[in-house]
């Protein structure tokens, strides 16, 4: 089983003449086709809007592409709000789904007119005190327990730090209404990276039913229901990709069964997808720079967990293509590693691949979401550039690589590192 990269060896050889590896490369065409497909799939719901989860790929060039397909921004922090604001996303185009939120972030979110998605009942008072309550507000719901689909445990909301309990949600709506809030939204994110068409319809059922009860019991004017993120992608080549049209049809069925009969057929649906929007349309390109033969066979790359943390953090699988060797037998077992002084800095463990030579280009697939953005600077390693492979085959740098100057910049209050500043 294999995956075909969206870029060829010839293209990569050309790109690396200008941009040294490692770098993240994004596929503009793939991003556009997919965003258009999502919009089309949910076009039956007049208020539908995707608020792209900025944390997945916080790059202004990417946000501007998605905006062409009607996407707004789902922000989780001050800097993400600032990015959305700087790009002139208007207030209603910004969702602020944060948790353990500092007061100044609420103040800024209110200032730019973002829709605030409260994570906890105690945040009502907190927000009221620091920034005042808006006319429209959303609350994040966490029903607890296990989230199951067809006897499969998808995730464990009961163990998740997010959201109001059921009782708190009803109480919270009452309080908010009493305090003058006029319009409401409900949000939930109950399972991550779901590679099944069943997740959204199941989640929709939970949210739609609670919305009907909330309206009945509190009289709240519920304007939108936010299904958030969680639609997954097939990281493994043997996984079946989700079908967004099937997912949408499943949600529509529940909408017509639950919301329409309750007189709520005008409720807008929102999503906050990250992985589904960008994951497959990005890859990390790295060069094999070392081979090590000890108790195992190691390939040492010029990228490391600083560039892609998911394997080190979650043991996540990312498929690897050794460019130019697609047709060769996968008869070598390797650990493909980065250079960090951390033994979990491995992009693949015991992975069967074609024989790798020093200088080979490796494409690490599906890094378009939660890839570059999770990066850090351990071992003083610097973050890579981000490049956009445009529809016409040209390449645009959409973020430059960090330099030592960036790394030392937080010492600019003194002259101790001036030599490198
Ligand atoms: C509040 C919120 N919304 C949306 C997302 C996007 O999730 P995904 O990329 O899995 O679609 C996340 C991911 O962490 C999130 O925390």
């Amino acid at each position: 089983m294999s995956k075909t990269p969206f870029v060829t060896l010839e293209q990569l050889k050309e790109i690396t003449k200008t941009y040294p590896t490692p770098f993240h490369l994004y596929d503009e065409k793939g991003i556009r086709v997919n965003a258009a497909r999502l919009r089309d799939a949910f076009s039956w719901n007049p208020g539908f809007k995707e608020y792209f989860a900025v944390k997945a790929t916080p790059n202004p060039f990417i946000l501007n592409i998605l905006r062409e397909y009607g996407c707004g921004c789902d922000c989780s922090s001050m800097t993400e709000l600032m990015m959305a604001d700087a790009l002139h996303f208007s207030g209603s185009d910004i969702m602020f789904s944060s948790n353990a939120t500092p007061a100044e972030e609420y103040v800024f979110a209110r200032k730019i007119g973002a829709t605030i998605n409260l994570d906890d009942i105690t945040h009502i008072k907190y927000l009221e005190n620091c920034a005042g309550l808006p006319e429209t507000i959303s609350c994040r719901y966490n029903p607890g327990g296990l989230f199951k689909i067809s006897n499969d445990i998808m995730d464990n909301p009961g163990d998740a730090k997010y959201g109001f309990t059921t009782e708190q949600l009803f109480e919270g709506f009452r309080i908010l209404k009493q305090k003058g809030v006029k319009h409401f939204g409900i949000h939930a994110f109950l399972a991550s990276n779901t590679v099944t068409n069943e997740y959204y319809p199941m989640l929709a059922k939970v949210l739609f039913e609670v919305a009907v009860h909330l309206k009945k019991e509190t009289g709240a004017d519920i304007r939108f229901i936010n299904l958030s993120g969680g639609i997954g992608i097939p990281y493994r080549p043997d996984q079946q990709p989700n079908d967004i049209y099937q997912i949408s049809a499943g949600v529509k069925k529940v909408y017509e069964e639950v919301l329409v009969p309750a007189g709520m057929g005008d409720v807008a649906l929102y999503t906050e997808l990250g992985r589904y929007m960008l994951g497959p349309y990005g890859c990390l390109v790295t060069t094999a720079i070392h081979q090590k033969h000890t108790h195992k066979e190691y390939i040492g790359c010029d990228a490391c967990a600083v560039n892609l943390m998911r394997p080190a953090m979650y043991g996540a699988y990312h498929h690897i293509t050794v460019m130019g060797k697609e047709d060769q037998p996968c008869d070598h077992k390797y650990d493909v590693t980065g250079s960090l002084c951390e033994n979990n800095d491995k992009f693949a463990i015991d992975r069967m691949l074609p024989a790798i030579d020093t200088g080979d280009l490796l494409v690490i697939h599906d890094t378009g979401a939660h890839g570059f953005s999770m990066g850090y600077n351990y071992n003083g390693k610097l973050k890579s550039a981000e490049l956009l492979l445009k529809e016409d085959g040209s390449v645009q740098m959409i973020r430059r690589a960090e330099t030592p100057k960036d790394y030392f910049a937080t010492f600019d209050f003194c002259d101790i590192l001036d030599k490198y500043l």
Side-chain angles (χ1 to χ4, degrees):
M1 284 276 191
S2 67
K3 272 180 178 258
T4 307
F6 58 78
V7 63
T8 65
L9 177 59
E10 287 61 42
Q11 284 175 304
L12 282 181
K13 280 185 177 162
E14 209 42 50
I15 296 169
T16 52
K17 284 182 191 163
T18 310
Y19 303 103
T21 58
F23 52 79
H24 281 268
L25 183 68
Y26 300 95
D27 172 20
E28 181 179 12
K29 184 160 186 234
I31 294 169
R32 286 183 182 278
V33 168
N34 188 59
R37 197 163 40 212
L38 176 79
R39 184 174 60 178
D40 184 49
F42 279 93
S43 57
W44 58 267
N45 180 256
F48 175 77
K49 191 168 183 72
E50 152 71 358
Y51 289 85
F52 175 65
V54 175
K55 64 174 80 68
T57 323
N59 187 299
F61 294 87
I62 301 282
L63 299 186
N64 274 339
I65 293 173
L66 293 174
R67 188 211 310 256
E68 290 181 39
Y69 300 87
C71 298
C73 297
D74 156 40
C75 300
S76 63
S77 65
M78 183 69 120
T79 49
E80 290 182 1
L81 287 170
M82 289 165 75
M83 190 182 284
D85 178 48
L87 295 178
H88 306 296
F89 280 93
S90 78
S92 61
D93 287 335
I94 306 172
M95 185 65 62
F96 186 41
S97 287
S98 58
N99 65 95
T101 311
E104 62 271 22
E105 299 193 5
Y106 277 141
V107 171
F108 187 65
R110 290 279 284 122
K111 187 173 151 214
I112 64 173
T115 302
I116 292 173
N117 182 31
L118 290 177
D119 183 62
D120 188 52
I121 192 165
T122 62
H123 297 176
I124 296 173
K125 190 115 214 90
Y126 189 84
L127 174 63
E128 187 181 26
N129 288 341
C130 69
L133 293 172
E135 272 203 353
T136 302
I137 204 155
S138 172
C139 294
R140 182 167 182 165
Y141 178 41
N142 181 341
L146 294 172
F147 192 72
K148 291 185 193 161
I149 292 177
S150 318
N151 295 329
D152 234 13
I153 296 173
M154 299 250 40
D155 225 317
N156 187 356
D159 199 35
K161 66 173 177 171
Y162 312 104
F164 294 52
T165 65
T166 309
E167 296 70 27
Q168 288 171 345
L169 192 65
F170 282 77
E171 181 63 11
F173 267 52
R174 274 189 207 101
I175 296 170
L176 286 163
K177 218 169 156 254
Q178 215 173 41
K179 288 181 181 289
V181 171
K182 293 199 167 61
H183 314 297
F184 290 81
I186 315 171
H187 167 285
F189 187 162
L190 302 186
S192 188
N193 190 31
T194 59
V195 192
T196 159
N197 297 327
E198 283 183 67
Y199 169 64
Y200 252 23
M202 289 277 293
L203 171 71
K205 190 165 180 339
V206 171
L207 281 173
F208 295 171
E209 283 174 352
V210 90
V212 170
H213 284 131
L214 275 166
K215 188 181 171 188
K216 237 187 232 157
E217 292 195 20
T218 69
D221 173 30
I222 298 172
R223 290 282 173 97
F224 62 87
I225 292 177
N226 185 342
L227 302 172
S228 189
I231 296 187
I233 58 166
Y235 285 101
R236 292 178 183 272
D238 58 350
Q239 284 177 302
Q240 192 63 20
N242 286 322
D243 177 344
I244 201 67
Y245 286 98
Q246 263 198 48
I247 289 174
S248 171
V251 172
K252 185 167 187 260
K253 185 166 176 283
V254 188
Y255 191 97
E256 283 163 359
E257 281 168 6
V258 181
L259 288 182
V260 174
M264 296 174 74
D266 56 352
V267 169
L269 294 184
Y270 295 165
T271 56
E272 287 175 349
L273 298 166
R275 198 183 313 270
Y276 178 78
M277 300 305 286
L278 253 296
Y281 314 110
C283 64
L284 173 61
V285 182
T286 179
T287 305
I289 55 172
H290 290 285
Q291 296 196 43
K292 181 169 166 139
H293 319 284
T294 55
H295 307 291
K296 297 181 89 172
E297 289 297 303
Y298 293 100
I299 297 297
C301 299
D302 60 2
C304 63
V306 162
N307 309 109
L308 177 65
M309 202 178 179
R310 297 187 71 258
M313 192 157 167
Y314 313 120
Y317 180 94
H318 280 267
H319 201 69
I320 296 178
T321 298
V322 184
M323 295 304 285
K325 297 186 173 174
E326 291 83 347
D327 299 328
Q328 294 187 17
C330 293
D331 53 3
H332 284 62
K333 191 191 274 187
Y334 292 118
D335 279 13
V336 180
T337 79
S339 52
L340 295 188
C341 303
E342 275 288 354
N343 197 39
N344 66 357
D345 181 20
K346 295 177 177 179
F347 294 119
I349 296 172
D350 294 334
R351 183 78 55 89
M352 296 307 294
L353 291 166
I356 295 176
D357 295 300
T358 303
D360 278 349
L361 286 167
L362 309 186
V363 162
I364 304 181
H365 291 251
D366 301 316
T367 66
H370 311 294
F372 176 93
S373 59
M374 263 193 199
Y376 60 131
N377 280 113
Y378 192 47
N379 282 199
K381 296 282 178 180
L382 304 176
K383 293 202 217 158
S384 78
E386 291 181 291
L387 308 176
L388 183 66
L389 179 61
K390 310 220 5 146
E391 287 185 284
D392 64 5
S394 64
V395 168
Q396 180 188 1
M397 183 173 74
I398 56 171
R399 186 194 300 263
R400 68 161 171 80
E402 277 183 341
T403 65
K405 210 168 154 175
D406 297 314
Y407 183 71
F408 295 130
T410 42
F411 296 102
D412 61 2
F413 64 93
C414 61
D415 59 9
I416 200 163
L417 286 176
D418 265 6
K419 183 173 177 194
Y420 291 112
L421 268 171

